[in-house]
Amino acid sequence: SKAIVDRSVMHELGIMTGVMDAVCASAKQAGATSVLKVSLSVGEMTEAIEDALRFAFEALSEQSDYALCANAELEIAMVAPRSRCLECGAEYEHDRFHMLCPECGSFATQLIAGRELQIDSIEVDIPDE
């Protein structure tokens, strides 16, 4: 058993705990007996690592608090950062570190995508009445 908890996993565990709380609350409200699939969009600028998110999801879904998610599948869409240049108006994708406008070299840029962390959809099993 691994005794070392890496910094990254702590970050993702916090994120995933929030996701699972929201998912289970929604599923209960809908009268679901189980959650089949959770689809997330995660921006690269959140610095969340996909594998660590999956690890956190697996670990949490084994806990009794999240029993509804015991057999759920996790789908993650990573969203690349996109910015708009406030000088020339160009819109462009980039990585987490190179945000300068590729058209005019300006530092005056605004991030328009890549910070999201959202639940896109939840598929649940609802018993027939």
Side-chain angles (χ1 to χ4, degrees):
S1 65
K2 265 169 90 182
I4 300 160
V5 178
D6 186 306
R7 162 291 345 133
S8 65
V9 179
M10 291 307 294
H11 177 60
E12 283 77 4
L13 203 55
I15 289 171
M16 201 47 84
T17 300
V19 167
M20 300 284 266
D21 285 342
V23 165
C24 287
S26 297
K28 276 183 195 136
Q29 259 177 340
T33 49
S34 67
V35 176
L36 305 175
K37 188 175 181 182
V38 178
S39 300
L40 303 178
S41 284
V42 181
E44 289 174 12
M45 298 300 277
T46 63
E47 297 187 10
I49 298 160
E50 187 176 348
D51 286 347
L53 285 171
R54 290 188 184 286
F55 174 81
F57 183 80
E58 297 294 324
L60 290 168
S61 59
E62 287 169 15
Q63 295 183 7
S64 58
D65 290 357
Y66 304 116
L68 281 173
C69 292
N71 300 307
E73 180 193 337
L74 177 64
E75 192 173 72
I76 299 175
M78 295 302 291
V79 181
R82 279 186 69 77
S83 287
R84 178 183 300 122
C85 178
L86 301 175
E87 299 280 334
C88 76
E91 281 189 18
Y92 54 95
E93 268 193 19
H94 53 85
D95 62 20
R96 284 182 11 216
F97 311 103
H98 301 88
M99 296 171 79
L100 283 187
C101 176
E103 299 297 321
C104 73
S106 173
F107 281 102
T109 63
Q110 179 184 27
L111 192 70
I112 54 175
R115 270 222 177 280
E116 45 282 89
L117 177 67
Q118 64 192 36
I119 300 170
D120 293 328
S121 67
I122 303 167
E123 277 177 39
V124 296
D125 210 359
I126 297 174
D128 298 328
E129 289 313 324

